[in-house]
Amino acid sequence: MAGTSAGIVAGLTAAAVGTVGFLAYQASATVPAGLGDKPRASASLLAKAPRDRRNPTALPAVSGSGERVVYSVDDDRVWLVGEHNQVVRTFKVKPGRVDPYPGAYVVTSRSHAVTGTDGVPVEHVVRFTSVDDVAIGFSAAVNPDLTPAPDPAVRTGGIRETRTDGQAMWMFGTIGVPVVVVR
């Protein structure tokens, strides 16, 4: 009887793995054109974006145009930019251990609430790329007071915001919204 149970479990496991693989293939096959592409990096994005020295929170001049999210890797700052290049909101963030490359991306997926790669429950996750199989995106810790110190051995791509800023990003950063990463 024990051999039969083990065989049934093995069969169910194989069927589950096959189903997950099929669903993953199906999901990747239905990604709209351009969403899964590598970033387009112009020479202006690869260099340190010029800043207004009198106003360090000013939008970097070489961050594109139109509605977009702008993220400065060097300044750990995000700008939510609406129509006519008007900054709707800007805020500081705490990056993960893996930075996105400078370039132009789009929001590719979102999750209301998940557990981050560091084991911390997060909400309002807005993803836009991956680097070496590490997902990169914005998120807010559900309970920042209980967040442990980062483990230097864990490669994380979560760019952490406050819960208030995370809510603003969630409302702004819908699927397909451009994300521009600058130095």
Side-chain angles (χ1 to χ4, degrees):
M1 186 73 160
T4 305
S5 295
I8 291 171
V9 169
L12 289 173
T13 301
V17 169
T19 300
V20 168
F22 173 74
L23 292 173
Y25 166 77
Q26 205 173 26
S28 67
T30 59
V31 172
L35 287 184
D37 295 348
K38 295 289 183 196
R40 298 174 313 275
S42 67
S44 62
L45 291 177
L46 295 175
K48 171 77 173 169
R51 300 293 195 277
D52 182 338
R53 293 185 192 273
R54 293 173 306 218
N55 184 4
T57 64
L59 180 66
V62 295
S63 65
S65 63
E67 182 180 88
R68 66 198 181 281
V69 174
V70 177
Y71 171 51
S72 170
V73 174
D74 289 351
D75 297 330
D76 299 330
R77 178 168 290 280
V78 169
W79 293 264
L80 304 180
V81 184
E83 295 181 23
H84 311 294
N85 282 332
Q86 295 298 312
V87 174
V88 175
R89 185 182 192 102
T90 184
F91 49 90
K92 294 288 281 181
V93 293
K94 293 180 183 175
R97 294 205 161 293
V98 179
D99 284 332
Y101 299 113
Y105 305 85
V106 295
V107 174
T108 55
S109 71
R110 296 165 26 113
S111 297
H112 181 67
V114 297
T115 299
T117 53
D118 56 359
V120 174
V122 293
E123 63 184 0
H124 300 131
V125 181
V126 176
R127 296 177 203 89
F128 60 92
T129 192
S130 64
V131 174
D132 299 328
D133 296 323
V134 176
I136 308 291
F138 305 101
S139 64
V142 172
N143 193 339
D145 295 334
L146 299 179
T147 301
D151 180 350
V154 177
R155 297 179 68 229
T156 59
I159 302 164
R160 293 288 164 77
E161 312 155 312
T162 66
R163 290 186 83 188
T164 303
D165 293 333
Q167 175 67 30
M169 176 65 78
W170 182 255
M171 299 303 291
F172 190 89
T174 57
I175 300 292
V177 166
V179 177
V180 178
V181 177
V182 298
R183 287 251 158 258

